[in-house]
Amino acid sequence: MADRAAIDTIRGYFYQFDYSIISVLNLLKDTDSILVEGVEDVDITTATETTAIQCKYYENTEYNHSVIKKPIMLMLNHFKDVKLGKKTEIKYNLRGFYKSGQSKLSLPLSIQNLKDDFLTYSQTEKINGVSTKVKHLHHDDLKLNDVELNDFLQLGKTGQFDHLIPE
């Protein structure tokens, strides 16, 4: 029988709440604000910018690119909406706590790393009635070129690893 305990999920929420509390305590001005569960888990707005922070807590998991692939793709979707004038520009930040494997993430990310490790995926599709694995390039689906991907990378701090919660 699978372990149905919610301990890991609760620890993830504590990680997010702890980060939110620390962020509130670090606000510099009365006009700065924090929104929990805004664009991402924690959004921090100052007079000059908004930063959307995704928090991942996987105490028992080794870091692999696939663990943060979806959040990065969703951030890129938001970035595309900004380019189309549908949303306001923000900065992106992805924080994570993992058991091990953090060294697999080479920072700063290059455009090629972004494409290969986070924006490329395979999906099984029916082609002429036959199930076939099809390679997708998320950045091509969004019609984003290398200059725009570089702009996206300049708005982000992906891969900040920390230990906010005592082990």
Side-chain angles (χ1 to χ4, degrees):
M1 176 182 262
D3 181 11
R4 296 176 53 109
I7 293 170
D8 290 337
T9 301
I10 292 168
R11 285 184 178 146
Y13 287 125
F14 283 156
Y15 179 79
Q16 178 181 332
F17 296 148
D18 287 351
Y19 182 77
S20 299
I21 292 166
I22 289 168
S23 297
V24 166
L25 295 172
N26 287 327
L27 290 178
L28 298 176
K29 298 180 180 171
D30 290 342
T31 57
D32 295 349
S33 66
I34 292 190
L35 175 63
V36 177
E37 295 297 337
V39 173
E40 291 294 346
D41 294 329
V42 180
D43 298 351
I44 300 173
T45 301
T46 67
T48 58
E49 67 186 29
T50 297
T51 302
I53 300 123
Q54 176 68 227
C55 297
K56 294 291 179 193
Y57 184 80
Y58 294 106
E59 178 180 33
N60 299 315
T61 303
E62 179 177 343
Y63 169 82
N64 286 299
H65 300 318
S66 61
V67 176
I68 62 172
K69 181 180 279 204
K70 184 175 180 182
I72 290 177
M73 290 171 66
L74 292 171
M75 288 175 181
L76 192 65
N77 291 351
H78 183 275
F79 175 79
K80 176 64 179 191
D81 285 343
V82 170
K83 298 298 264 178
L84 294 172
K86 296 178 181 179
K87 305 240 171 120
T88 305
E89 182 176 279
I90 62 173
K91 295 194 176 210
Y92 305 96
N93 190 322
L94 182 57
R95 301 186 69 87
F97 182 98
Y98 302 89
K99 179 179 181 179
S100 62
Q102 294 87 331
S103 61
K104 295 177 189 175
L105 183 61
S106 177
L107 296 174
L109 282 180
S110 69
I111 292 172
Q112 199 59 52
N113 289 130
L114 176 65
K115 288 178 179 180
D116 294 344
D117 297 333
F118 302 106
L119 303 179
T120 301
Y121 64 98
S122 294
Q123 181 172 303
T124 302
E125 299 176 11
K126 290 269 188 190
I127 300 176
N128 298 323
V130 177
S131 293
T132 308
K133 265 200 179 222
V134 178
K135 180 178 175 180
H136 290 271
L137 305 173
H138 190 63
H139 52 287
D140 284 350
D141 294 342
L142 294 176
K143 296 179 176 43
L144 293 171
N145 61 38
D146 284 358
V147 171
E148 292 165 317
L149 291 177
N150 187 60
D151 291 344
F152 172 72
L153 288 174
Q154 297 307 308
L155 291 171
K157 292 184 191 176
T158 300
Q160 291 191 359
F161 296 101
D162 55 19
H163 298 272
L164 287 177
I165 300 172
E167 296 180 31

